[in-house]
PDB file of all heavy atoms in Angstrom:
ATOM      1  N   VAL A 177      23.720 -19.061  28.032  1.00 98.00           N
ATOM      2  CA  VAL A 177      23.085 -19.974  28.993  1.00 98.00           C
ATOM      3  C   VAL A 177      21.748 -20.472  28.458  1.00 98.00           C
ATOM      4  O   VAL A 177      21.442 -21.675  28.509  1.00 98.00           O
ATOM      5  CB  VAL A 177      22.884 -19.279  30.356  1.00 98.00           C
ATOM      6  CG1 VAL A 177      21.985 -20.112  31.260  1.00 98.00           C
ATOM      7  CG2 VAL A 177      24.232 -19.056  31.036  1.00 98.00           C
ATOM      8  N   ARG A 180      22.145 -22.857  25.381  1.00 98.00           N
ATOM      9  CA  ARG A 180      22.619 -24.215  25.677  1.00 98.00           C
ATOM     10  C   ARG A 180      21.494 -25.118  26.168  1.00 98.00           C
ATOM     11  O   ARG A 180      21.659 -26.346  26.267  1.00 98.00           O
ATOM     12  CB  ARG A 180      23.728 -24.167  26.740  1.00 98.00           C
ATOM     13  CG  ARG A 180      25.056 -23.659  26.234  1.00 98.00           C
ATOM     14  CD  ARG A 180      26.170 -23.915  27.244  1.00 98.00           C
ATOM     15  NE  ARG A 180      26.039 -23.097  28.445  1.00 98.00           N
ATOM     16  CZ  ARG A 180      26.657 -21.939  28.621  1.00 98.00           C
ATOM     17  NH1 ARG A 180      27.426 -21.444  27.656  1.00 98.00           N
ATOM     18  NH2 ARG A 180      26.508 -21.263  29.746  1.00 98.00           N
ATOM     19  N   ARG A 203      11.925 -24.399  28.521  1.00 98.00           N
ATOM     20  CA  ARG A 203      13.389 -24.370  28.406  1.00 98.00           C
ATOM     21  C   ARG A 203      13.999 -24.980  29.658  1.00 98.00           C
ATOM     22  O   ARG A 203      13.719 -24.539  30.762  1.00 98.00           O
ATOM     23  CB  ARG A 203      13.872 -22.927  28.250  1.00 98.00           C
ATOM     24  CG  ARG A 203      15.312 -22.799  27.826  1.00 98.00           C
ATOM     25  CD  ARG A 203      15.800 -21.372  27.918  1.00 98.00           C
ATOM     26  NE  ARG A 203      16.392 -21.069  29.211  1.00 98.00           N
ATOM     27  CZ  ARG A 203      16.257 -19.924  29.858  1.00 98.00           C
ATOM     28  NH1 ARG A 203      15.503 -18.952  29.363  1.00 98.00           N
ATOM     29  NH2 ARG A 203      16.856 -19.737  31.029  1.00 98.00           N
ATOM     30  N   ARG A 204      14.803 -26.019  29.468  1.00 98.00           N
ATOM     31  CA  ARG A 204      15.478 -26.675  30.603  1.00 98.00           C
ATOM     32  C   ARG A 204      16.969 -26.383  30.488  1.00 98.00           C
ATOM     33  O   ARG A 204      17.662 -26.867  29.575  1.00 98.00           O
ATOM     34  CB  ARG A 204      15.226 -28.189  30.560  1.00 98.00           C
ATOM     35  CG  ARG A 204      15.834 -28.954  31.750  1.00 98.00           C
ATOM     36  CD  ARG A 204      15.028 -28.736  32.991  1.00 98.00           C
ATOM     37  NE  ARG A 204      15.612 -29.368  34.169  1.00 98.00           N
ATOM     38  CZ  ARG A 204      15.392 -30.632  34.544  1.00 98.00           C
ATOM     39  NH1 ARG A 204      14.595 -31.411  33.804  1.00 98.00           N
ATOM     40  NH2 ARG A 204      15.934 -31.100  35.642  1.00 98.00           N
ATOM     41  N   ASP A 205      17.486 -25.579  31.397  1.00 98.00           N
ATOM     42  CA  ASP A 205      18.899 -25.235  31.372  1.00 98.00           C
ATOM     43  C   ASP A 205      19.759 -26.459  31.648  1.00 98.00           C
ATOM     44  O   ASP A 205      19.334 -27.409  32.327  1.00 98.00           O
ATOM     45  CB  ASP A 205      19.199 -24.156  32.409  1.00 98.00           C
ATOM     46  CG  ASP A 205      18.578 -22.807  32.072  1.00 98.00           C
ATOM     47  OD1 ASP A 205      18.117 -22.643  30.926  1.00 98.00           O
ATOM     48  OD2 ASP A 205      18.562 -21.919  32.947  1.00 98.00           O
ATOM     49  N   ALA A 206      20.976 -26.434  31.122  1.00 97.00           N
ATOM     50  CA  ALA A 206      21.922 -27.513  31.373  1.00 97.00           C
ATOM     51  C   ALA A 206      22.204 -27.619  32.870  1.00 97.00           C
ATOM     52  O   ALA A 206      22.079 -26.634  33.607  1.00 97.00           O
ATOM     53  CB  ALA A 206      23.216 -27.255  30.605  1.00 97.00           C
ATOM     54  N   VAL A 207      22.587 -28.806  33.304  1.00 97.00           N
ATOM     55  CA  VAL A 207      22.890 -29.010  34.724  1.00 97.00           C
ATOM     56  C   VAL A 207      23.967 -28.046  35.183  1.00 97.00           C
ATOM     57  O   VAL A 207      23.886 -27.456  36.268  1.00 97.00           O
ATOM     58  CB  VAL A 207      23.316 -30.472  34.963  1.00 97.00           C
ATOM     59  CG1 VAL A 207      23.794 -30.648  36.400  1.00 97.00           C
ATOM     60  CG2 VAL A 207      22.176 -31.430  34.661  1.00 97.00           C
ATOM     61  N   ALA A 208      24.982 -27.836  34.338  1.00 97.00           N
ATOM     62  CA  ALA A 208      26.074 -26.925  34.683  1.00 97.00           C
ATOM     63  C   ALA A 208      25.597 -25.485  34.811  1.00 97.00           C
ATOM     64  O   ALA A 208      26.245 -24.658  35.467  1.00 97.00           O
ATOM     65  CB  ALA A 208      27.176 -27.019  33.630  1.00 97.00           C
ATOM     66  N   ASP A 209      24.470 -25.172  34.196  1.00 97.00           N
ATOM     67  CA  ASP A 209      23.910 -23.819  34.260  1.00 97.00           C
ATOM     68  C   ASP A 209      22.802 -23.701  35.300  1.00 97.00           C
ATOM     69  O   ASP A 209      22.112 -22.673  35.359  1.00 97.00           O
ATOM     70  CB  ASP A 209      23.371 -23.413  32.885  1.00 97.00           C
ATOM     71  CG  ASP A 209      24.470 -23.257  31.850  1.00 97.00           C
ATOM     72  OD1 ASP A 209      25.550 -22.760  32.216  1.00 97.00           O
ATOM     73  OD2 ASP A 209      24.258 -23.639  30.677  1.00 97.00           O
ATOM     74  N   GLY A 210      22.610 -24.754  36.093  1.00 97.00           N
ATOM     75  CA  GLY A 210      21.630 -24.688  37.175  1.00 97.00           C
ATOM     76  C   GLY A 210      20.439 -25.598  37.022  1.00 97.00           C
ATOM     77  O   GLY A 210      19.711 -25.836  37.980  1.00 97.00           O
ATOM     78  N   GLY A 211      20.182 -26.091  35.799  1.00 97.00           N
ATOM     79  CA  GLY A 211      19.100 -27.044  35.586  1.00 97.00           C
ATOM     80  C   GLY A 211      17.705 -26.482  35.751  1.00 97.00           C
ATOM     81  O   GLY A 211      16.726 -27.231  35.872  1.00 97.00           O
ATOM     82  N   ARG A 212      17.557 -25.161  35.741  1.00 98.00           N
ATOM     83  CA  ARG A 212      16.226 -24.559  35.907  1.00 98.00           C
ATOM     84  C   ARG A 212      15.323 -24.875  34.719  1.00 98.00           C
ATOM     85  O   ARG A 212      15.795 -25.094  33.604  1.00 98.00           O
ATOM     86  CB  ARG A 212      16.354 -23.044  36.081  1.00 98.00           C
ATOM     87  CG  ARG A 212      17.043 -22.630  37.387  1.00 98.00           C
ATOM     88  CD  ARG A 212      17.271 -21.130  37.411  1.00 98.00           C
ATOM     89  NE  ARG A 212      18.204 -20.738  36.356  1.00 98.00           N
ATOM     90  CZ  ARG A 212      19.520 -20.760  36.480  1.00 98.00           C
ATOM     91  NH1 ARG A 212      20.077 -21.158  37.609  1.00 98.00           N
ATOM     92  NH2 ARG A 212      20.297 -20.394  35.485  1.00 98.00           N
ATOM     93  N   LEU A 213      14.017 -24.855  34.973  1.00 98.00           N
ATOM     94  CA  LEU A 213      13.035 -25.059  33.907  1.00 98.00           C
ATOM     95  C   LEU A 213      12.186 -23.792  33.793  1.00 98.00           C
ATOM     96  O   LEU A 213      11.593 -23.345  34.777  1.00 98.00           O
ATOM     97  CB  LEU A 213      12.155 -26.277  34.180  1.00 98.00           C
ATOM     98  CG  LEU A 213      11.373 -26.798  32.967  1.00 98.00           C
ATOM     99  CD1 LEU A 213      11.115 -28.301  33.100  1.00 98.00           C
ATOM    100  CD2 LEU A 213      10.046 -26.070  32.779  1.00 98.00           C
ATOM    101  N   THR A 228       9.916 -19.300  35.986  1.00 98.00           N
ATOM    102  CA  THR A 228      11.119 -20.108  36.135  1.00 98.00           C
ATOM    103  C   THR A 228      11.038 -20.908  37.428  1.00 98.00           C
ATOM    104  O   THR A 228      10.750 -20.359  38.500  1.00 98.00           O
ATOM    105  CB  THR A 228      12.379 -19.226  36.136  1.00 98.00           C
ATOM    106  OG1 THR A 228      12.453 -18.517  34.891  1.00 98.00           O
ATOM    107  CG2 THR A 228      13.633 -20.075  36.282  1.00 98.00           C
ATOM    108  N   PHE A 229      11.290 -22.206  37.305  1.00 98.00           N
ATOM    109  CA  PHE A 229      11.242 -23.122  38.432  1.00 98.00           C
ATOM    110  C   PHE A 229      12.629 -23.718  38.651  1.00 98.00           C
ATOM    111  O   PHE A 229      13.421 -23.836  37.708  1.00 98.00           O
ATOM    112  CB  PHE A 229      10.233 -24.244  38.173  1.00 98.00           C
ATOM    113  CG  PHE A 229       8.861 -23.759  37.780  1.00 98.00           C
ATOM    114  CD1 PHE A 229       8.522 -23.603  36.432  1.00 98.00           C
ATOM    115  CD2 PHE A 229       7.913 -23.451  38.742  1.00 98.00           C
ATOM    116  CE1 PHE A 229       7.266 -23.164  36.055  1.00 98.00           C
ATOM    117  CE2 PHE A 229       6.644 -23.002  38.377  1.00 98.00           C
ATOM    118  CZ  PHE A 229       6.322 -22.854  37.025  1.00 98.00           C
ATOM    119  N   ALA A 230      12.921 -24.129  39.876  1.00 97.00           N
ATOM    120  CA  ALA A 230      14.230 -24.704  40.175  1.00 97.00           C
ATOM    121  C   ALA A 230      14.471 -25.983  39.390  1.00 97.00           C
ATOM    122  O   ALA A 230      15.605 -26.334  39.053  1.00 97.00           O
ATOM    123  CB  ALA A 230      14.350 -24.975  41.671  1.00 97.00           C
ATOM    124  N   GLY A 231      13.421 -26.692  39.088  1.00 96.00           N
ATOM    125  CA  GLY A 231      13.464 -27.917  38.296  1.00 96.00           C
ATOM    126  C   GLY A 231      12.073 -28.150  37.741  1.00 96.00           C
ATOM    127  O   GLY A 231      11.231 -27.247  37.777  1.00 96.00           O
ATOM    128  N   PRO A 232      11.784 -29.349  37.229  1.00 97.00           N
ATOM    129  CA  PRO A 232      10.431 -29.622  36.744  1.00 97.00           C
ATOM    130  C   PRO A 232       9.395 -29.344  37.825  1.00 97.00           C
ATOM    131  O   PRO A 232       9.492 -29.881  38.932  1.00 97.00           O
ATOM    132  CB  PRO A 232      10.495 -31.116  36.386  1.00 97.00           C
ATOM    133  CG  PRO A 232      11.931 -31.354  36.051  1.00 97.00           C
ATOM    134  CD  PRO A 232      12.700 -30.491  36.999  1.00 97.00           C
TER     135      PRO A 232
END
Side-chain angles (χ1 to χ4, degrees):
V177 169
R180 286 192 291 265
R203 193 190 91 218
R204 183 75 184 273
D205 292 347
V207 173
D209 293 322
R212 293 174 295 275
L213 196 152
T228 300
F229 307 92

